[in-house]
Amino acid sequence: TYIGQIYEDKGDHTNAIIWYKKAINKNYIDYMAHWFLADNYKAINDLKGAVEEITVARILNRNNRRIKKSFDNIFLKAKRDTTDWYFNPQVEITKVDDKTVNVLMDAKWVGYGMCKALWKCEPGYSESMGEKAGNYSILEDRECLISLLVALTNAKTKTKNDPELQILREAADNKVFDEYLLYDVVLPKMPSVAYQLPEKTISDIKDYILKVRNK
């Protein structure tokens, strides 16, 4: 990666690209190599390559502001949507005592809020789902998102002005539900999870971003 940077500093994009690719071949989760490769692709006007690589870089380092800036610049040049949002459930759960739970929520988030309350406050529920009580579980988030989708569908709720809900629907329709879950729910909270994902999963998340989230 550093050798690639030396060539890049000299304006030799051809050799910079060669070395960044070598770095990625040795260590696919090197987000810097993907990031810098994207910038070099942009410099030679290979926008397809630039879009692909900056997308992978952002998956691998979800909350990096400089990568986000490069992501936006490349996507704008490629005439792609750069609308951004973060998954922010409008739900507040308070356990008053052993028999009382208060759940405050926006009407659109009823399915999510009730499911979260179940996981958080119902004795033995986590264990019945094969998870230890108090530990984070991706199964919990998956079940709560499905409950959210079912409630939105049953209530015929309009989500056009709520990107996180609208994209969730589109992700489910396009069979990239788990990719939505990973990219928009899990990685912003726990970005290091990206380094444990198989290359195939990272590629699937990239497809979700390019085909659904930022068309």
Side-chain angles (χ1 to χ4, degrees):
T1 302
Y2 294 143
I3 292 171
Q5 282 187 291
I6 291 170
Y7 281 112
E8 184 177 346
D9 288 342
K10 293 175 179 290
D12 185 347
H13 299 295
T14 299
N15 274 306
I17 288 169
I18 289 170
W19 282 94
Y20 290 139
K21 285 182 175 180
K22 287 183 179 182
I24 291 167
N25 188 52
K26 292 285 186 182
N27 178 23
Y28 188 78
I29 61 173
D30 181 353
Y31 72 87
M32 288 197 304
H34 288 283
W35 175 11
F36 302 152
L37 178 56
D39 286 341
N40 277 263
Y41 276 144
K42 180 187 174 188
I44 64 170
N45 209 35
D46 180 353
L47 291 181
K48 183 178 184 298
V51 163
E52 296 247 338
E53 294 301 328
I54 198 61
T55 301
V56 173
R58 190 151 193 243
I59 294 167
L60 292 172
N61 199 331
R62 184 67 172 82
N63 301 324
N64 187 300
R65 292 183 180 182
R66 291 175 64 196
I67 291 178
K68 176 62 168 62
K69 184 177 179 180
S70 184
F71 178 94
D72 285 347
N73 288 338
I74 290 170
F75 271 49
L76 283 171
K77 191 170 182 180
K79 297 182 179 178
R80 280 184 170 271
D81 178 37
T82 58
T83 302
D84 201 18
W85 46 269
Y86 284 91
F87 187 76
N88 185 27
Q90 301 302 297
V91 173
E92 183 179 307
I93 300 168
T94 307
K95 187 173 182 179
V96 179
D97 54 45
D98 288 343
K99 295 184 178 181
T100 309
V101 177
N102 286 338
V103 185
L104 305 178
M105 54 200 159
D106 182 279
K108 293 179 181 179
W109 290 87
V110 169
Y112 186 90
M114 299 307 291
C115 185
K116 274 290 179 181
L118 184 65
W119 275 87
K120 183 177 182 180
C121 303
E122 179 67 19
Y125 187 77
S126 297
E127 293 86 344
S128 75
M129 299 298 287
E131 303 290 341
K132 289 184 179 179
N135 287 0
Y136 171 74
S137 166
I138 197 168
L139 177 61
E140 174 184 344
D141 274 333
R142 182 181 286 112
E143 184 177 351
C144 291
L145 286 181
I146 292 171
S147 296
L148 173 59
L149 267 174
V150 170
L152 290 172
T153 301
N154 289 344
K156 298 181 180 179
T157 305
K158 294 181 179 180
T159 57
K160 189 174 182 180
N161 296 322
D162 298 274
E164 58 194 323
L165 301 179
Q166 181 62 29
I167 296 297
L168 173 61
R169 276 183 162 166
E170 292 181 28
D173 290 342
N174 286 276
K175 296 181 172 55
V176 285
F177 177 88
D178 281 350
E179 288 73 15
Y180 174 102
L181 168 60
L182 285 167
Y183 185 74
D184 283 313
V185 181
V186 176
L187 291 182
K189 294 186 294 186
M190 296 178 290
S192 62
V193 168
Y195 304 132
Q196 303 167 36
L197 299 176
E199 189 174 329
K200 171 66 166 59
T201 302
I202 293 172
S203 180
D204 289 343
I205 296 172
K206 178 185 70 177
D207 288 344
Y208 152 67
I209 296 166
L210 299 184
K211 295 177 181 178
V212 177
R213 196 185 200 276
N214 297 100
K215 298 176 188 174

